[in-house]
């Protein structure tokens, strides 16, 4: 198994695809369907070429090259991280055994399901973001959007390779379905709810890439621990690319907040609506929405399926090797969020195995706090007294223990009637969305940027902000 991509092949790869002609033919027959999906459901803004990074190897000495590429000609490929020949299963009942190069028959259905769910999220985000190019605030941001898009397309290839290579006809059929489902479709929606939501403006895009792509980081992190080594190595490489997506979100919100602060100070007012910036209360509402929707992606607070995945060695915990326990958890317990018998928001004790969704969600929440601290530092340094915050875990939940109640961002349980009356104080209203969209006027000139967002501190790959990142058609 090589680490350098073979670009002489129709499908660039480092898995020696040429040695398995049957698999190669199957993937080559899927490739035109993928390209058709990209042309019909991918970015709508016509371009000549875009300054993109393309994977060239997965080794420690660097793995990407930058250059202007026509997006339909982007070399999507199949890349697995380097093999660790001595790797052992790190958790569950198979702990200490050699990892698996093939799918054990008893876990076939469960592994296939995990791969399909992960694979379904990748094209979904491309579909959600397909129209954003038309309102990009700068060529720098437009380039970042397209980089996220092509890498989500490559992540789809990563999962499709596993389905084709290890799951036979059923895997090939699932790979086809990944292209037939579409985000927001009434007939064939994407599997997870957050991936059927609209991404109609760039504030939504930055929040999505901060909160929802961060969920992807944690899901990939659990699959990277898998005893099924091809899945583990695939996810390890995907995590390298995912880091850029979260950087786009983190710094995007940074720049929105920075510009709002500048306008507030320039005009000596908290109300910047109508002054070309996004008011802090509206930013908070968008944060509330995207954070709460992303919390739902972790599933219920308790799950026997996830307990079984862990015990079987299919899906571990975030940074499993850093955990100070027996990595089997058979006799451990933990507290999870729950409603009490009288319907109050609280916690209850469950088996640690059953509570693994909560364990992962808490790792995610802690990570999300880092972005909020960044944004509040910008507010503090700008002399602004308001602060952003993550809403309570029970707020606006549609999955899990709090799906049947309504709660304020501060965690106060309220009647459904009061929620209906007050939700516009906490979630984006039609008026908020209309105002934000009114700011989304395209700026496609080199070195120029929209008035509602600050320019970035650094360009891409050492290039300046006014570099010609995108050549439009």
């Amino acid at each position: 198994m090589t680490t350098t991509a073979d670009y002489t092949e129709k499908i660039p790869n480092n898995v020696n695809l040429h040695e398995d002609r049957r698999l190669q033919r199957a993937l080559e027959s899927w490739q035109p369907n993928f390209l058709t999906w990209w042309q019909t459901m991918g970015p709508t803004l016509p371009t000549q070429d875009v300054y993109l990074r393309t994977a060239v190897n997965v080794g420690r000495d660097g793995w990407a090259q930058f250059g202007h590429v026509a997006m339909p000609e982007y070399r999507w490929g199949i890349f697995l991280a380097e093999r660790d020949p001595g790797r052992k299963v790190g958790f569950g009942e198979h702990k200490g055994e050699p990892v698996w190069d093939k799918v054990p028959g008893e876990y076939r259905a469960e592994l296939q399901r995990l791969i399909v769910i992960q694979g379904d999220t990748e094209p979904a985000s491309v579909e959600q973001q397909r129209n954003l190019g038309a309102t990009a605030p700068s060529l720098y941001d437009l380039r970042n959007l397209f980089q996220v898009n092509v890498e989500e397309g490559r992540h789809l290839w990563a999962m499709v390779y596993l389905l084709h290579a290890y799951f036979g006809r059923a895997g090939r059929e699932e790979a086809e379905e990944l292209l037939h489902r579409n985000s927001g479709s009434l007939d064939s929606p994407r599997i997870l709810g957050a991936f059927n939501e609209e991404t109609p403006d760039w504030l939504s895009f930055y929040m999505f890439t901060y909160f929802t792509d961060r969920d992807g980081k944690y899901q990939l992190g659990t699959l990277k621990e898998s005893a099924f080594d091809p899945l583990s190595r695939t996810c390890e490489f995907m995590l390298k690319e995912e880091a850029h997506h979260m950087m786009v979100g983190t710094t995007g919100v940074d720049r929105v907040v920075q510009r709002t602060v500048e306008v507030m100070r320039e005009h000596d007012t908290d109300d910047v609506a109508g002054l070309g910036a996004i008011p802090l209360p509206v930013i908070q509402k968008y944060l509330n929405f995207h954070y709460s929707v992303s919390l739902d992606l972790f599933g219920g607070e308790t799950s026997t399926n996830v307990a079984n995945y862990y015990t079987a060695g299919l899906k571990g915990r975030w940074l499993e090797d850093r955990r100070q326990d027996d990595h089997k958890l058979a006799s451990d317990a933990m507290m999870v969020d729950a409603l009490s018998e009288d319907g109050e928001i609280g916690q209850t004790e469950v088996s640690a195995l059953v509570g693994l969704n909560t364990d992962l969600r808490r790792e995610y929440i802690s990570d999300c706090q880092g972005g909020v601290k960044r944004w509040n530092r910008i507010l503090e340094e700008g002399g602004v007294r308001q602060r952003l915050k993550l809403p309570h875990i029970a707020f606006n939940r549609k999955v899990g223990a709090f799906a049947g109640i309504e709660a304020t961002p501060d965690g106060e349980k309220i009647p459904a009637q009061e929620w209906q009356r007050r939700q516009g104080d906490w979630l984006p209203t039609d008026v908020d969305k209309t105002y934000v969209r009114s700011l989304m006027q395209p700026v496609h000139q080199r070195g120029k940027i929209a008035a509602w967002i600050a320019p970035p501190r650094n360009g891409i790959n050492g290039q300046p902000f006014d570099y010609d990142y995108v050549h439009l058609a």
Side-chain angles (χ1 to χ4, degrees), residues 339-346 392 394-395 401-402 404-416 418-419 422 426:
L339 291 178
S340 64
E341 291 184 1
D342 57 359
E344 294 304 310
I345 296 171
H392 191 274
F395 173 77
F402 306 125
I405 67 163
E406 304 296 354
T408 70
D410 292 326
E412 176 191 356
K413 186 182 173 187
I414 58 175
E418 184 176 355
W419 167 264
R422 298 179 63 191
W426 308 316

Side-chain angles (χ1 to χ4, degrees), residues 8 38 44 96 305 337 375 388 413 421:
T8 67
W38 178 268
T44 58
N305 280 342
D337 302 295
W375 306 329
L388 298 169
K413 186 182 173 187
R421 180 170 55 86

Side-chain angles (χ1 to χ4, degrees), residues 372-439:
V372 176
K373 287 180 181 178
R374 284 176 62 113
W375 306 329
N376 284 337
R377 193 177 306 121
I378 295 170
L379 295 173
E380 182 179 5
E381 292 173 353
V384 173
R385 55 183 172 76
Q386 294 97 319
R387 296 292 182 266
L388 298 169
K389 65 177 183 178
L390 297 178
H392 191 274
I393 196 170
F395 173 77
N396 192 40
R397 296 293 303 283
K398 302 296 187 288
V399 175
F402 306 125
I405 67 163
E406 304 296 354
T408 70
D410 292 326
E412 176 191 356
K413 186 182 173 187
I414 58 175
Q417 186 175 4
E418 184 176 355
W419 167 264
Q420 290 298 326
R421 180 170 55 86
R422 298 179 63 191
Q423 63 174 314
D425 296 337
W426 308 316
L427 293 172
T429 64
D430 289 342
V431 171
D432 296 326
K433 294 175 185 177
T434 299
Y435 174 69
V436 171
R437 290 186 199 185
S438 76
L439 301 178

Side-chain angles (χ1 to χ4, degrees), residues 193-194 197 207-208 210-212 215 284-299 301 361 364-365 368 389-400 402-403 406-409 419 423 426-428:
E197 299 286 350
M207 292 293 181
F208 182 98
Y210 185 81
F211 288 111
T212 307
D215 160 78
Q284 180 68 63
K285 290 182 187 182
Y286 273 68
L287 184 161
N288 289 347
F289 174 76
H290 285 274
Y291 174 69
S292 58
V293 166
S294 298
L295 287 181
D296 281 349
L297 291 172
F298 291 86
E301 282 65 28
R361 186 185 283 111
Y364 169 82
I365 291 171
C368 287
K389 65 177 183 178
L390 297 178
H392 191 274
I393 196 170
F395 173 77
N396 192 40
R397 296 293 303 283
K398 302 296 187 288
V399 175
F402 306 125
E406 304 296 354
T408 70
W419 167 264
Q423 63 174 314
W426 308 316
L427 293 172

Side-chain angles (χ1 to χ4, degrees), residues 323-339:
R323 305 295 185 114
Q324 301 300 313
D325 52 41
D326 67 359
H327 303 276
K328 294 189 176 181
L329 309 181
S331 58
D332 293 355
M334 66 177 292
M335 301 298 293
V336 300
D337 302 295
L339 291 178

